[in-house]
Amino acid sequence: MIKLLECNTKKIRVLGILFLLNFAAVMAQKPIIQTKYTADPAPMVHNDTIFLYTSHDEDDAKGFKMLNWLLYTSTDMVNWTEHGVVASLKDFSWARQDNGAWAVQCIERNGKFYLYCPMHGGGIGVLVSDSPYGPFKDPLGKRLVYSDHNIWDDIDPSPFIDDDGQVYLYWGNPHLYYVKLNEDMISTSGKVVKVDSKPKNYQEGPWVWKRNNHYYLSYASTCCPEGIGYAMSNTPTGPWEYKGMIVDASEKTRGNHPGIIDYKGKSYVFGHSYDLIKSETSTFYERRSVDADRIIYNEDGTIQNHSYFTNEGPEQIETVNPFRRIEAETMACSKGVKTDKSEDKGVYVTQIHNGDFIQVRGVDFAKGAKKIEIIAASLNEGKVEVRLDNEVGEIIGTLKIENTGGWQNWKTVQTKVKKVDGVHDLFFIFKGGQGELFNFDAWKFSK
C-alpha cells in the first residue's frame, strides 16, 4: 500500500511538472504565426488595424523556396487573422516564377496601396491596389529600379514618405541604396544613390522611419547570425550614425529582418527567427517564423536593447468580442493545424487532427455567454472541446462534428455552454480518431 501511494505520488508530481511545462509552452507567444512559415515582416498601420505582410517559406523548403507573399491583420497585437496569399511571383509577367519572392513592404498614398517586391536577381517591381487586402496588379510590366553595381544586391525594398511628401525607396545587400520616387509612386526621380555612411554591421533589410525629428534606419546586421541594428540621422539620406542593436545577434536569431511601427501609443519591432522549425526538428531548414515585441525609446531618441524576443511577446491591447463572428484563422497560438483558402469561404483552418488546438487570447464574455456555434465541414467525425484559460482548462462545452457530406460542405453546429463571464483565454481542443477530422471556418457565442 505504501509503495502504491509512493508510485501515485510520483505520477502526480510528474503529471504536475508536465502540465506546468505544457502550460508554459502554450503561454509563450513567439513566434506569432504557427500555421505557416513566415519571414521578413512588413507591418503597416491603416484604419486602426495592423496589416502584416510577410514572405512565405514553403513547408517543404530546405533552402530558400519562396513563391508568394501573405497577409495577416490584428487590432490587439496578439491574435492574428490570416488572409492568405496577397500577391505572388505570378503577378509579374516579366519575372522568373520558380523562386525568389523575398522581403516586401507595403505603403499607402492617396488612397492606393503600393507593394514593393524584389525579384531576386531581377531588380525590384511594384504592385498597386485600391485595398490593403488586394488584389494587387503590376502597373509597369517591368522592374521599377535596379542598381548598376550588382543586380543581386536588389533585395528588401523599403519605402518611406517624408513630412514634405518626398518618397524614398531604400534596399540592398550588402550595400545600401536609395532612390527618390515621384508622387505617382511607380516612377523614379534622379539616380540611384549608394549610401557610403551605412553602419559597418549593415547586411540587408533596411527599414526607415521618422520619430520626433529623428530619422531611423534599422536593418539586419552582418550575417551570420543576424540581429537587428539601427542608426540615426538628421536627414532621410544620412549620414547615418550607428546607435546599437534593437535585437542582439545570437545563435538564436541566425537570420533577421526588421519592421518597426507605432500603434495605439506604443512602438513595436517585428523580426523573424527559426524557433518554430527548431521545435519540430534539429535539422536546419530555411523555414522561418515572424516574432514581435514592444520597443522603448529613451529620452534622447535612442532605443532600448533586447537580447532576444521575449517569450511572452507584446501585451494584448484590446479584448476579443466573442458575440460577433470570429474567423477560425484568428488565433494567438496553435498546434498542428494549417490553413487553406477557397473561393466561397476564404481562409479556413484545416489539417485538424486529434490533440491539435487553437488558442484565442483575451476573450471578453462580459456578463455571460450561454451558447456557441461553429461552422465546420467534414467527411469524418470528431468533436471540439471548448476550454477556458489553458489547454487542459475547464470544459464549458463540447461540439460534435458529424460527416457533413464533403470537405467544403459547410454546416453550422451549436451547443449550450456553461455560463461564463469575464475575460478568458479560449481554447478549441480537437478530438477524434485517426486521420484528418474536419475543416473549421468560424465561431460565435451568444448571450
Side-chain angles (χ1 to χ4, degrees):
M1 182 61 134
I2 291 173
K3 289 183 178 179
L4 180 61
L5 286 172
E6 287 176 350
C7 236
N8 286 338
T9 301
K10 289 178 181 178
K11 285 182 180 178
I12 290 170
R13 286 175 181 169
V14 171
L15 288 172
I17 292 170
L18 289 174
F19 167 77
L20 290 173
L21 290 174
N22 187 48
F23 180 70
V26 168
M27 293 308 293
Q29 293 307 312
K30 67 173 183 64
I32 62 175
I33 309 296
Q34 299 90 30
T35 54
K36 285 185 171 70
Y37 294 109
T38 55
D40 306 318
M44 177 188 73
V45 178
H46 177 69
N47 286 348
D48 288 330
T49 298
I50 301 171
F51 290 81
L52 178 63
Y53 300 85
T54 76
S55 57
H56 174 209
D57 294 326
E58 296 292 332
D59 282 356
D60 60 351
K62 294 183 178 179
F64 290 113
K65 184 179 180 182
M66 306 165 71
L67 306 175
N68 50 45
W69 298 281
L70 307 178
L71 172 62
Y72 299 83
T73 59
S74 179
T75 58
D76 64 11
M77 277 301 300
V78 296
N79 296 299
W80 294 89
T81 302
E82 182 182 341
H83 300 275
V85 174
V86 71
S88 76
L89 295 174
K90 295 178 182 178
D91 294 314
F92 295 96
S93 60
W94 49 273
R96 53 183 286 193
Q97 302 294 307
D98 60 328
N99 205 343
W102 289 22
V104 298
Q105 187 175 338
C106 189
I107 194 169
E108 184 271 338
R109 190 171 204 188
N110 298 329
K112 290 186 179 295
F113 297 85
Y114 299 87
L115 189 68
Y116 295 91
C117 310
M119 302 295 108
H120 193 213
I124 294 170
V126 59
L127 301 175
V128 185
S129 176
D130 293 326
S131 166
Y133 298 99
F136 285 90
K137 303 294 183 182
D138 180 3
L140 298 177
K142 60 181 182 180
R143 61 193 179 194
L144 171 64
V145 295
Y146 65 97
S147 60
D148 291 330
H149 296 77
N150 184 349
I151 201 167
W152 293 98
D153 287 0
D154 298 338
I155 66 170
D156 302 344
S158 180
F160 165 71
I161 303 176
D162 204 355
D163 295 338
D164 61 3
Q166 179 60 60
V167 189
Y168 299 84
L169 184 68
Y170 307 83
W171 71 92
N173 173 343
H175 304 292
L176 175 63
Y177 304 93
Y178 78 85
V179 71
K180 291 182 179 180
L181 299 183
N182 294 317
E183 188 172 353
D184 64 6
M185 303 293 283
I186 59 172
S187 62
T188 62
S189 174
K191 295 182 179 180
V192 171
V193 178
K194 182 182 177 183
V195 179
D196 294 327
S197 62
K198 73 178 180 70
K200 290 183 178 179
N201 67 342
Y202 170 90
Q203 181 72 37
E204 60 185 358
W207 186 283
V208 176
W209 75 102
K210 186 178 183 182
R211 184 179 185 274
N212 294 341
N213 295 319
H214 297 296
Y215 292 89
Y216 293 84
L217 164 69
S218 65
Y219 53 88
S221 66
T222 305
C223 184
C224 281
E226 293 178 354
I228 297 176
Y230 80 103
M232 296 173 65
S233 177
N234 293 321
T235 77
T237 58
W240 297 101
E241 181 181 353
Y242 174 71
K243 292 295 182 180
M245 301 296 289
I246 300 175
V247 179
D248 288 338
S250 71
E251 288 305 318
K252 290 182 178 181
T253 61
R254 187 176 172 90
N256 227 312
H257 187 288
I260 313 287
I261 56 169
D262 290 335
Y263 183 62
K264 295 185 177 180
K266 297 179 181 179
S267 300
Y268 299 94
V269 56
F270 292 74
H272 65 232
S273 70
Y274 293 80
D275 287 343
L276 184 59
I277 188 64
K278 284 179 180 179
S279 71
E280 299 167 352
T281 177
S282 59
T283 303
F284 175 77
Y285 299 113
E286 283 293 352
R287 303 175 196 171
R288 297 157 292 175
S289 302
V290 169
D291 299 299
D293 224 330
R294 188 178 174 190
I295 56 174
I296 305 294
Y297 291 90
N298 299 312
E299 289 187 6
D300 63 357
T302 56
I303 300 171
Q304 295 183 13
N305 169 262
H306 287 264
S307 60
Y308 192 55
F309 294 96
T310 57
N311 284 334
E312 61 271 17
E315 294 181 358
Q316 188 168 3
I317 294 174
E318 61 182 36
T319 56
V320 175
N321 175 10
F323 304 111
R324 62 180 179 88
R325 175 189 166 107
I326 305 294
E327 299 298 324
E329 62 274 13
T330 299
M331 62 187 77
C333 188
S334 66
K335 173 189 172 185
V337 302
K338 293 291 186 178
T339 53
D340 204 346
K341 192 172 185 178
S342 65
E343 291 185 5
D344 58 335
K345 279 294 178 185
V347 179
Y348 58 90
V349 176
T350 188
Q351 296 187 37
I352 297 171
H353 296 82
N354 181 55
D356 293 346
F357 72 82
I358 290 172
Q359 177 196 10
V360 183
R361 283 181 61 186
V363 179
D364 188 358
F365 293 97
K367 294 182 179 180
K370 293 185 177 180
K371 185 185 295 185
I372 184 174
E373 64 180 44
I374 72 171
I375 300 173
S378 181
L379 281 173
N380 293 323
E381 294 183 352
K383 64 180 181 179
V384 182
E385 294 177 352
V386 184
R387 294 180 180 262
L388 297 182
D389 300 323
N390 58 70
E391 192 181 350
V392 292
E394 178 186 8
I395 298 177
I396 60 170
T398 301
L399 299 108
K400 184 177 180 181
I401 312 299
E402 298 181 340
N403 187 330
T404 65
W407 293 108
Q408 294 296 315
N409 193 23
W410 301 92
K411 302 290 184 182
T412 299
V413 181
Q414 61 183 14
T415 188
K416 292 182 179 180
V417 297
K418 295 180 182 179
K419 186 177 180 181
V420 53
D421 56 16
V423 178
H424 298 269
D425 283 5
L426 185 65
F427 283 76
F428 296 99
I429 311 296
F430 306 117
K431 299 290 185 179
Q434 296 294 318
E436 193 168 346
L437 301 179
F438 45 83
N439 292 332
F440 183 16
D441 183 50
W443 58 271
K444 178 182 178 181
F445 281 85
S446 57
K447 298 180 180 180

